[in-house]
Coordinates of all heavy atoms in Angstrom, one line a residue:
M1 N 80.7 103.8 83.5 CA 82.0 104.1 84.0 C 83.0 103.2 83.4 O 84.1 103.0 84.0 CB 81.9 104.0 85.5 CG 81.1 105.0 86.2 SD 81.3 105.2 88.0 CE 80.6 103.6 88.5
A2 N 82.8 102.7 82.3 CA 83.7 101.8 81.6 C 85.0 102.6 81.1 O 84.9 103.8 81.0 CB 83.0 101.2 80.4
D3 N 86.0 101.8 80.8 CA 87.2 102.5 80.3 C 87.1 102.9 78.9 O 86.4 102.2 78.1 CB 88.4 101.5 80.4 CG 88.8 101.2 81.8 OD1 88.4 101.9 82.8 OD2 89.7 100.3 82.0
A4 N 87.7 104.0 78.5 CA 87.8 104.4 77.1 C 88.7 103.5 76.4 O 89.6 102.9 77.0 CB 88.3 105.8 77.1
P5 N 88.5 103.3 75.1 CA 89.5 102.5 74.3 C 90.9 103.1 74.4 O 91.0 104.3 74.6 CB 88.9 102.6 72.9 CG 87.6 103.1 73.0 CD 87.4 103.8 74.3
P6 N 91.9 102.3 74.4 CA 93.3 102.8 74.5 C 93.6 104.0 73.6 O 94.3 104.9 74.1 CB 94.2 101.6 74.2 CG 93.3 100.4 74.5 CD 91.9 100.8 74.2
E7 N 93.1 104.0 72.4 CA 93.4 105.1 71.5 C 92.6 106.4 71.8 O 92.9 107.4 71.2 CB 93.1 104.7 70.1 CG 91.7 104.5 69.7 CD 91.2 103.1 70.0 OE1 91.9 102.3 70.7 OE2 90.0 102.8 69.6
K8 N 91.7 106.3 72.8 CA 90.9 107.5 73.1 C 91.0 107.9 74.6 O 90.2 108.6 75.1 CB 89.4 107.2 72.8 CG 89.2 107.1 71.3 CD 87.8 107.1 70.9 CE 87.6 107.1 69.4 NZ 86.2 107.3 69.0
T9 N 92.1 107.4 75.2 CA 92.3 107.9 76.6 C 92.7 109.3 76.6 O 93.1 109.9 75.6 CB 93.5 107.1 77.2 OG1 94.6 107.2 76.4 CG2 93.1 105.6 77.5
F10 N 92.5 110.0 77.7 CA 92.7 111.4 77.8 C 94.1 111.6 78.4 O 94.5 111.1 79.4 CB 91.7 112.1 78.8 CG 91.8 113.6 78.8 CD1 91.0 114.3 78.1 CD2 92.8 114.2 79.6 CE1 91.1 115.7 78.1 CE2 92.9 115.6 79.6 CZ 92.0 116.3 78.9
W11 N 95.0 112.3 77.6 CA 96.3 112.6 78.1 C 96.3 114.0 78.7 O 96.1 115.0 78.1 CB 97.3 112.6 76.9 CG 97.5 111.2 76.3 CD1 96.9 110.6 75.4 CD2 98.5 110.3 76.8 NE1 97.4 109.3 75.2 CE2 98.4 109.2 76.1 CE3 99.5 110.4 77.8 CZ2 99.3 108.1 76.3 CZ3 100.4 109.3 78.0 CH2 100.2 108.2 77.2
I12 N 96.6 114.0 80.0 CA 96.8 115.2 80.8 C 98.1 115.8 80.4 O 99.1 115.1 80.3 CB 96.7 115.0 82.3 CG1 95.3 114.5 82.6 CG2 97.0 116.2 83.1 CD1 95.1 114.1 84.1
Y13 N 98.1 117.1 80.3 CA 99.4 117.8 80.0 C 100.4 117.5 81.1 O 100.1 117.5 82.2 CB 99.1 119.4 80.0 CG 100.4 120.2 79.7 CD1 100.9 120.3 78.4 CD2 101.0 120.8 80.8 CE1 102.0 121.0 78.2 CE2 102.1 121.6 80.5 CZ 102.6 121.7 79.2 OH 103.7 122.4 79.0
G14 N 101.5 117.0 80.6 CA 102.5 116.5 81.6 C 102.7 115.0 81.6 O 103.6 114.5 82.3
G15 N 101.7 114.3 81.0 CA 102.0 112.9 80.8 C 101.0 111.9 81.4 O 100.9 110.7 80.9
K16 N 100.2 112.2 82.4 CA 99.3 111.2 82.9 C 98.1 110.9 82.0 O 97.6 111.8 81.3 CB 98.7 111.7 84.3 CG 97.8 110.7 85.0 CD 97.6 111.0 86.4 CE 96.7 110.1 87.1 NZ 96.9 108.7 87.0
R17 N 97.7 109.7 81.9 CA 96.6 109.2 81.0 C 95.4 108.8 81.8 O 95.5 108.0 82.8 CB 97.2 108.1 80.2 CG 96.4 107.7 79.1 CD 97.2 106.8 78.2 NE 96.9 105.4 78.4 CZ 97.2 104.4 77.7 NH1 98.1 104.5 76.7 NH2 96.8 103.2 78.0
L18 N 94.2 109.2 81.4 CA 93.0 108.8 82.0 C 92.2 107.9 81.2 O 92.0 108.1 80.0 CB 92.1 110.0 82.3 CG 92.8 111.2 83.1 CD1 91.9 112.4 83.2 CD2 93.3 110.7 84.4
K19 N 91.6 106.8 81.8 CA 90.8 105.8 81.0 C 89.3 106.0 81.3 O 88.5 105.5 80.5 CB 91.2 104.4 81.4 CG 92.7 104.1 81.1 CD 93.0 102.6 81.5 CE 92.7 102.5 82.9 NZ 93.7 101.7 83.7
N20 N 88.9 106.6 82.4 CA 87.5 106.6 82.8 C 87.3 107.8 83.8 O 88.2 108.5 84.1 CB 87.1 105.3 83.5 CG 88.0 104.9 84.6 OD1 88.2 105.7 85.6 ND2 88.6 103.7 84.6
I21 N 86.0 108.0 84.2 CA 85.7 109.1 85.0 C 86.2 109.0 86.4 O 86.4 110.0 87.1 CB 84.2 109.5 84.9 CG1 83.3 108.4 85.4 CG2 83.8 109.9 83.5 CD1 81.8 108.8 85.6
K22 N 86.4 107.8 86.9 CA 87.0 107.7 88.2 C 88.4 108.2 88.2 O 88.9 108.8 89.2 CB 86.9 106.2 88.7 CG 85.6 105.8 89.2 CD 85.6 104.4 89.8 CE 84.3 104.0 90.3 NZ 84.3 102.6 90.9
E23 N 89.1 107.9 87.2 CA 90.5 108.4 87.1 C 90.5 109.9 86.9 O 91.4 110.6 87.4 CB 91.2 107.7 85.9 CG 91.6 106.2 86.3 CD 92.4 105.5 85.2 OE1 92.7 106.2 84.2 OE2 92.7 104.3 85.4
L24 N 89.5 110.4 86.2 CA 89.4 111.9 86.1 C 89.1 112.5 87.4 O 89.8 113.5 87.8 CB 88.2 112.2 85.1 CG 87.8 113.7 85.0 CD1 89.0 114.5 84.6 CD2 86.7 113.9 84.1
R25 N 88.2 111.9 88.2 CA 88.0 112.4 89.6 C 89.3 112.4 90.4 O 89.6 113.4 91.0 CB 86.9 111.6 90.3 CG 86.7 111.9 91.7 CD 86.1 110.8 92.5 NE 87.0 109.6 92.5 CZ 86.6 108.4 92.7 NH1 85.3 108.1 92.9 NH2 87.4 107.4 92.6
D26 N 90.0 111.3 90.4 CA 91.2 111.2 91.1 C 92.3 112.2 90.7 O 93.0 112.8 91.5 CB 91.8 109.8 91.1 CG 90.8 108.8 91.7 OD1 89.9 109.2 92.5 OD2 91.0 107.6 91.5
A27 N 92.4 112.4 89.4 CA 93.4 113.3 88.8 C 93.0 114.8 89.2 O 93.9 115.6 89.6 CB 93.4 113.2 87.3
L28 N 91.7 115.1 89.2 CA 91.3 116.5 89.6 C 91.6 116.7 91.1 O 91.8 117.9 91.5 CB 89.8 116.6 89.3 CG 89.4 116.8 87.8 CD1 87.9 116.6 87.7 CD2 89.9 118.1 87.2
D29 N 91.6 115.7 91.9 CA 91.9 115.8 93.3 C 93.3 116.4 93.5 O 93.5 117.1 94.5 CB 91.7 114.5 94.0 CG 91.4 114.5 95.4 OD1 90.9 115.6 95.9 OD2 91.5 113.5 96.1
F30 N 94.3 116.0 92.7 CA 95.7 116.3 93.0 C 96.3 117.2 91.9 O 97.5 117.6 92.0 CB 96.5 115.1 93.1 CG 96.1 114.2 94.3 CD1 95.3 113.1 94.1 CD2 96.4 114.6 95.6 CE1 94.9 112.3 95.1 CE2 95.9 113.8 96.6 CZ 95.2 112.7 96.4
M31 N 95.6 117.5 90.8 CA 96.1 118.2 89.7 C 96.4 119.7 90.1 O 95.6 120.3 90.6 CB 95.1 118.2 88.6 CG 95.4 118.9 87.3 SD 94.0 118.9 86.1 CE 93.8 117.1 85.9
P32 N 97.6 120.1 89.7 CA 97.9 121.6 90.0 C 97.0 122.4 89.1 O 96.6 122.1 88.0 CB 99.3 121.7 89.5 CG 99.9 120.4 89.5 CD 98.8 119.4 89.2
D33 N 96.6 123.6 89.7 CA 95.7 124.5 88.9 C 96.3 124.9 87.6 O 95.6 125.0 86.6 CB 95.5 125.8 89.7 CG 94.5 125.5 90.9 OD1 93.8 124.5 90.9 OD2 94.6 126.3 91.9
S34 N 97.6 125.0 87.5 CA 98.2 125.3 86.2 C 98.0 124.2 85.1 O 97.7 124.6 83.9 CB 99.7 125.5 86.3 OG 100.3 124.3 86.8
I35 N 97.9 123.0 85.5 CA 97.6 121.9 84.5 C 96.1 122.0 84.2 O 95.8 121.8 83.0 CB 98.0 120.5 85.1 CG1 99.5 120.5 85.4 CG2 97.5 119.4 84.2 CD1 100.4 120.6 84.2
F36 N 95.3 122.2 85.2 CA 93.9 122.3 85.0 C 93.6 123.4 84.0 O 92.8 123.2 83.0 CB 93.1 122.5 86.3 CG 91.6 122.6 86.1 CD1 90.8 121.5 86.0 CD2 91.0 123.9 86.1 CE1 89.5 121.6 85.8 CE2 89.6 124.0 85.9 CZ 88.9 122.9 85.8
Q37 N 94.2 124.5 84.2 CA 94.0 125.7 83.3 C 94.5 125.5 81.9 O 94.1 126.1 81.0 CB 94.6 127.0 83.9 CG 93.8 127.4 85.2 CD 94.5 128.4 86.0 OE1 95.7 128.8 85.8 NE2 93.9 128.8 87.1
H38 N 95.5 124.5 81.7 CA 95.9 124.2 80.4 C 94.8 123.5 79.6 O 94.7 123.7 78.4 CB 97.1 123.2 80.5 CG 97.6 122.8 79.1 ND1 98.4 123.5 78.4 CD2 97.3 121.6 78.4 CE1 98.7 122.8 77.2 NE2 98.0 121.7 77.3
H39 N 93.9 122.8 80.3 CA 92.8 122.1 79.6 C 91.5 122.8 79.7 O 90.6 122.5 78.9 CB 92.7 120.7 80.3 CG 93.8 119.8 80.0 ND1 94.0 119.2 78.8 CD2 94.8 119.4 80.8 CE1 95.1 118.5 78.9 NE2 95.6 118.5 80.1
V40 N 91.4 123.8 80.6 CA 90.1 124.5 80.8 C 90.4 126.0 80.9 O 91.1 126.4 81.8 CB 89.3 124.0 82.1 CG1 88.1 124.8 82.3 CG2 89.1 122.5 82.0
D41 N 89.8 126.7 80.0 CA 90.0 128.2 80.0 C 88.7 128.8 79.4 O 87.7 128.1 79.2 CB 91.2 128.7 79.3 CG 91.3 128.3 77.8 OD1 90.2 128.2 77.2 OD2 92.4 128.2 77.3
G42 N 88.7 130.0 79.1 CA 87.5 130.7 78.6 C 87.1 130.2 77.2 O 85.9 130.3 76.9
A43 N 88.0 129.6 76.5 CA 87.6 129.2 75.1 C 87.4 127.6 75.0 O 86.9 127.2 74.0 CB 88.8 129.6 74.2
K44 N 87.9 126.9 76.0 CA 87.8 125.4 75.8 C 87.6 124.7 77.2 O 87.9 125.3 78.2 CB 89.0 124.9 75.1 CG 90.3 125.0 76.0 CD 91.5 124.5 75.3 CE 92.7 124.7 76.3 NZ 93.9 124.3 75.8
N45 N 87.1 123.5 77.1 CA 87.1 122.6 78.3 C 87.3 121.2 77.7 O 86.4 120.5 77.3 CB 85.7 122.7 78.9 CG 85.6 121.9 80.2 OD1 86.2 120.8 80.3 ND2 84.8 122.4 81.2
D46 N 88.6 120.8 77.7 CA 89.0 119.5 77.1 C 88.3 118.4 77.9 O 88.0 117.4 77.3 CB 90.5 119.4 77.2 CG 91.2 120.4 76.3 OD1 90.6 120.9 75.4 OD2 92.4 120.6 76.6
F47 N 88.2 118.5 79.2 CA 87.6 117.4 80.0 C 86.1 117.2 79.6 O 85.7 116.0 79.4 CB 87.7 117.7 81.5 CG 89.1 117.8 82.0 CD1 89.5 119.0 82.5 CD2 89.9 116.7 81.9 CE1 90.8 119.1 82.9 CE2 91.3 116.9 82.4 CZ 91.7 118.1 82.9
S48 N 85.3 118.2 79.4 CA 83.9 118.0 79.1 C 83.8 117.4 77.7 O 82.9 116.6 77.4 CB 83.1 119.3 79.2 OG 83.6 120.3 78.2
V49 N 84.6 117.9 76.7 CA 84.6 117.3 75.4 C 84.9 115.8 75.4 O 84.2 115.0 74.7 CB 85.6 118.1 74.5 CG1 85.7 117.4 73.1 CG2 85.1 119.5 74.3
W50 N 85.9 115.4 76.2 CA 86.3 114.0 76.3 C 85.1 113.2 76.9 O 84.8 112.1 76.4 CB 87.5 113.9 77.1 CG 88.0 112.5 77.3 CD1 88.6 111.6 76.3 CD2 88.0 111.7 78.5 NE1 88.9 110.4 76.9 CE2 88.6 110.5 78.2 CE3 87.6 112.0 79.8 CZ2 88.8 109.5 79.2 CZ3 87.8 111.0 80.8 CH2 88.3 109.7 80.4
V51 N 84.5 113.8 77.9 CA 83.4 113.1 78.6 C 82.2 112.9 77.6 O 81.6 111.8 77.6 CB 82.9 113.9 79.8 CG1 81.5 113.4 80.3 CG2 83.9 113.7 81.0
L52 N 82.0 113.8 76.8 CA 80.9 113.7 75.8 C 81.2 112.8 74.6 O 80.5 111.8 74.3 CB 80.4 115.1 75.3 CG 79.3 115.1 74.3 CD1 78.0 114.6 74.9 CD2 79.1 116.5 73.7
D53 N 82.4 113.1 74.0 CA 82.7 112.4 72.8 C 83.2 110.9 73.0 O 83.0 110.1 72.2 CB 83.8 113.1 72.0 CG 83.4 114.5 71.5 OD1 82.1 114.7 71.5 OD2 84.2 115.3 71.1
V54 N 83.9 110.7 74.1 CA 84.5 109.4 74.4 C 83.8 108.6 75.4 O 83.4 107.4 75.2 CB 86.0 109.5 74.8 CG1 86.6 108.2 75.1 CG2 86.8 110.2 73.6
I55 N 83.5 109.2 76.5 CA 82.8 108.5 77.6 C 81.3 108.4 77.3 O 80.6 107.5 77.8 CB 83.1 109.2 79.0 CG1 84.6 109.3 79.3 CG2 82.3 108.5 80.1 CD1 85.3 107.9 79.4
K56 N 80.8 109.3 76.5 CA 79.4 109.3 76.1 C 78.4 109.5 77.3 O 77.4 108.9 77.4 CB 79.0 108.0 75.4 CG 79.9 107.6 74.3 CD 79.7 108.5 73.1 CE 80.5 108.0 71.9 NZ 80.8 109.0 70.9
D57 N 78.8 110.4 78.2 CA 78.0 110.7 79.4 C 77.5 112.2 79.2 O 78.2 113.1 79.6 CB 78.8 110.5 80.7 CG 77.9 110.7 81.9 OD1 76.9 111.4 81.9 OD2 78.3 110.1 82.9
E58 N 76.4 112.3 78.6 CA 75.8 113.6 78.3 C 75.4 114.4 79.6 O 75.5 115.6 79.7 CB 74.6 113.5 77.4 CG 74.2 114.8 76.8 CD 73.2 114.7 75.7 OE1 73.1 113.6 75.1 OE2 72.5 115.7 75.5
V59 N 75.0 113.6 80.6 CA 74.6 114.2 81.9 C 75.8 114.9 82.5 O 75.8 116.1 82.9 CB 74.0 113.2 82.8 CG1 73.8 113.8 84.2 CG2 72.7 112.7 82.3
L60 N 76.9 114.2 82.6 CA 78.2 114.7 83.2 C 78.7 115.9 82.4 O 79.1 116.9 82.9 CB 79.2 113.6 83.4 CG 80.5 114.1 84.0 CD1 80.3 114.8 85.4 CD2 81.5 112.9 84.2
Y61 N 78.7 115.7 81.1 CA 79.1 116.8 80.2 C 78.3 118.1 80.5 O 79.0 119.1 80.6 CB 78.8 116.4 78.7 CG 78.9 117.5 77.7 CD1 80.1 118.0 77.3 CD2 77.7 118.1 77.2 CE1 80.2 119.1 76.5 CE2 77.8 119.2 76.4 CZ 79.0 119.7 76.0 OH 79.1 120.7 75.1
N62 N 77.0 118.0 80.6 CA 76.2 119.2 80.9 C 76.6 119.8 82.2 O 76.5 121.0 82.4 CB 74.7 118.9 80.8 CG 74.3 118.8 79.3 OD1 74.7 119.5 78.5 ND2 73.5 117.8 79.0
E63 N 77.0 118.9 83.2 CA 77.3 119.4 84.5 C 78.7 120.2 84.5 O 78.8 121.1 85.3 CB 77.4 118.2 85.5 CG 76.1 117.7 85.9 CD 75.4 118.5 86.9 OE1 76.0 119.1 87.8 OE2 74.2 118.6 86.8
I64 N 79.6 119.7 83.7 CA 81.0 120.3 83.8 C 81.4 121.2 82.7 O 82.4 121.9 82.8 CB 82.0 119.1 83.9 CG1 82.1 118.3 82.7 CG2 81.7 118.3 85.2 CD1 83.3 117.3 82.7
K65 N 80.6 121.3 81.6 CA 81.0 122.0 80.4 C 81.3 123.5 80.7 O 82.2 124.1 80.1 CB 80.0 121.9 79.3 CG 78.7 122.5 79.6 CD 77.7 122.3 78.4 CE 76.4 122.9 78.7 NZ 75.4 122.6 77.6
S66 N 80.6 124.1 81.7 CA 80.8 125.5 81.9 C 81.7 125.8 83.2 O 81.9 126.9 83.6 CB 79.5 126.2 82.0 OG 78.8 125.7 83.1
L67 N 82.1 124.7 83.9 CA 82.9 124.9 85.1 C 84.3 125.3 84.8 O 85.0 124.8 83.9 CB 82.9 123.6 85.9 CG 81.5 123.2 86.4 CD1 81.6 121.9 87.2 CD2 80.8 124.2 87.2
K68 N 84.8 126.3 85.5 CA 86.2 126.8 85.3 C 87.1 126.6 86.5 O 88.2 127.1 86.5 CB 86.1 128.3 84.9 CG 85.2 128.6 83.7 CD 85.7 128.0 82.5 CE 84.9 128.4 81.3 NZ 84.8 127.4 80.3
K69 N 86.6 126.0 87.5 CA 87.4 125.8 88.7 C 87.6 124.3 88.9 O 86.6 123.5 88.8 CB 86.8 126.4 90.0 CG 86.7 127.9 89.9 CD 86.2 128.4 91.2 CE 86.3 130.0 91.2 NZ 85.8 130.5 92.5
R70 N 88.8 123.9 89.2 CA 89.1 122.5 89.4 C 88.3 121.8 90.5 O 87.7 120.7 90.4 CB 90.6 122.3 89.7 CG 91.1 120.9 89.9 CD 92.6 120.9 90.2 NE 92.9 121.7 91.3 CZ 92.9 121.2 92.6 NH1 92.5 120.0 92.8 NH2 93.3 122.0 93.5
S71 N 88.1 122.5 91.6 CA 87.3 122.0 92.8 C 85.9 121.8 92.4 O 85.3 120.8 92.8 CB 87.4 122.9 94.0 OG 86.9 124.2 93.7
Q72 N 85.3 122.7 91.6 CA 83.9 122.5 91.2 C 83.8 121.3 90.3 O 82.8 120.5 90.4 CB 83.4 123.8 90.5 CG 83.3 125.0 91.4 CD 82.9 126.2 90.6 OE1 83.3 126.3 89.4 NE2 82.2 127.1 91.2
M73 N 84.7 121.2 89.4 CA 84.6 120.0 88.4 C 84.8 118.7 89.2 O 84.1 117.7 89.0 CB 85.7 120.2 87.3 CG 85.5 119.1 86.2 SD 86.5 119.3 84.8 CE 85.9 120.9 84.2
H74 N 85.8 118.7 90.1 CA 86.0 117.5 90.9 C 84.7 117.1 91.6 O 84.3 115.9 91.6 CB 87.1 117.7 92.0 CG 87.3 116.6 92.9 ND1 86.6 116.4 94.1 CD2 88.1 115.5 92.8 CE1 87.0 115.3 94.7 NE2 87.8 114.7 93.9
D75 N 84.0 118.1 92.3 CA 82.8 117.8 93.0 C 81.7 117.3 92.0 O 81.0 116.3 92.4 CB 82.3 119.0 93.7 CG 83.2 119.4 94.9 OD1 84.0 118.6 95.3 OD2 83.0 120.5 95.4
A76 N 81.6 117.8 90.9 CA 80.6 117.4 89.9 C 80.8 116.0 89.4 O 79.9 115.1 89.3 CB 80.5 118.3 88.7
V77 N 82.1 115.6 89.2 CA 82.4 114.3 88.7 C 82.2 113.3 89.9 O 81.7 112.2 89.6 CB 83.9 114.2 88.2 CG1 84.3 112.8 87.9 CG2 84.1 115.1 87.0
R78 N 82.6 113.7 91.1 CA 82.3 112.8 92.2 C 80.9 112.5 92.4 O 80.5 111.4 92.6 CB 82.9 113.4 93.5 CG 82.7 112.6 94.8 CD 83.1 113.3 96.0 NE 82.6 114.7 96.1 CZ 81.3 115.0 96.4 NH1 80.5 114.1 96.7 NH2 81.0 116.3 96.5
R79 N 80.0 113.5 92.3 CA 78.6 113.4 92.5 C 78.0 112.4 91.4 O 77.2 111.5 91.7 CB 77.8 114.7 92.4 CG 77.9 115.5 93.7 CD 77.0 116.7 93.6 NE 77.1 117.5 92.5 CZ 77.9 118.6 92.4 NH1 78.7 118.9 93.4 NH2 77.9 119.3 91.3
R80 N 78.5 112.6 90.2 CA 78.0 111.7 89.1 C 78.4 110.2 89.3 O 77.7 109.3 89.1 CB 78.6 112.2 87.7 CG 78.2 111.4 86.5 CD 76.7 111.5 86.3 NE 76.3 110.8 85.1 CZ 75.2 110.3 84.8 NH1 74.2 110.4 85.7 NH2 74.9 109.7 83.7
I81 N 79.7 110.0 89.7 CA 80.1 108.7 90.1 C 79.3 108.1 91.2 O 78.8 106.9 91.1 CB 81.6 108.7 90.4 CG1 82.5 109.0 89.2 CG2 82.0 107.3 91.0 CD1 83.9 109.3 89.5
D82 N 79.0 108.9 92.2 CA 78.2 108.4 93.3 C 76.8 108.0 92.8 O 76.3 106.9 93.2 CB 78.0 109.5 94.4 CG 79.3 109.7 95.2 OD1 80.3 108.9 95.1 OD2 79.4 110.7 95.9
W83 N 76.2 108.8 91.9 CA 74.9 108.5 91.4 C 74.9 107.2 90.6 O 74.1 106.4 90.7 CB 74.4 109.7 90.6 CG 72.9 109.5 90.2 CD1 71.8 109.8 90.8 CD2 72.5 108.8 88.9 NE1 70.7 109.4 90.1 CE2 71.1 108.8 89.0 CE3 73.2 108.3 87.9 CZ2 70.3 108.3 87.9 CZ3 72.4 107.7 86.8 CH2 71.0 107.7 86.9
L84 N 75.9 107.1 89.7 CA 76.0 105.9 88.9 C 76.3 104.6 89.7 O 75.7 103.6 89.3 CB 77.2 106.1 87.9 CG 76.9 107.1 86.7 CD1 78.2 107.4 86.0 CD2 75.8 106.6 85.8
E85 N 77.0 104.7 90.7 CA 77.2 103.6 91.6 C 76.0 103.1 92.3 O 75.8 101.9 92.6 CB 78.4 103.8 92.6 CG 79.7 103.9 91.9 CD 80.9 104.2 92.8 OE1 80.7 104.7 93.9 OE2 82.0 103.8 92.5
K86 N 75.1 104.1 92.6 CA 73.8 103.7 93.3 C 72.8 103.2 92.3 O 71.8 102.6 92.7 CB 73.3 104.9 94.1 CG 74.2 105.3 95.3 CD 73.7 106.5 96.0 CE 74.6 106.9 97.1 NZ 74.3 108.2 97.7
A87 N 72.9 103.6 91.1 CA 71.9 103.3 90.1 C 71.9 101.8 89.7 O 72.8 101.1 89.9 CB 72.0 104.1 88.8

């Protein structure tokens, strides 16, 4: 759950920057669906790509790569954080 290097933070459409999966979870909690859909649609999932390429969490990547609803992704990220904190 470490922070991404500054040059590899995730920029959410509209300006907010994410450094780690806790910030992703928090952003998904309040993100408008229109912003979520800018990053996730039938052809892409920017969040899952960032989780795999930058955060290096293949388990979370596999959980969220096919999710198309913000609430589902939020729940998957929350569960992964809960598991990591207990491990």
Side-chain angles (χ1 to χ4, degrees):
M1 290 191 296
D3 289 351
E7 69 277 6
K8 293 190 176 188
T9 56
F10 188 97
W11 287 92
I12 295 176
Y13 181 75
K16 184 162 175 55
R17 193 166 100 170
L18 307 177
K19 299 180 300 222
N20 56 53
I21 62 172
K22 284 185 175 181
E23 289 184 0
L24 174 59
R25 176 203 56 203
D26 295 345
L28 289 167
D29 207 16
F30 299 104
M31 182 183 299
D33 288 334
S34 60
I35 300 295
F36 180 80
Q37 291 167 354
H38 176 83
H39 292 288
V40 178
D41 61 27
K44 67 179 180 183
N45 184 327
D46 296 337
F47 298 116
S48 67
V49 170
W50 181 71
V51 164
L52 182 63
D53 293 347
V54 175
I55 302 300
K56 307 290 187 203
D57 189 333
E58 194 170 337
V59 172
L60 181 56
Y61 165 78
N62 285 320
E63 286 284 324
I64 68 172
K65 67 182 178 184
S66 62
L67 299 179
K68 304 297 182 212
K69 292 186 178 180
R70 183 179 55 84
S71 61
Q72 292 173 329
M73 189 173 295
H74 176 271
D75 290 346
V77 173
R78 179 188 46 78
R79 284 191 307 271
R80 181 64 174 154
I81 291 168
D82 290 347
W83 187 88
L84 288 168
E85 288 179 337
K86 290 177 185 174

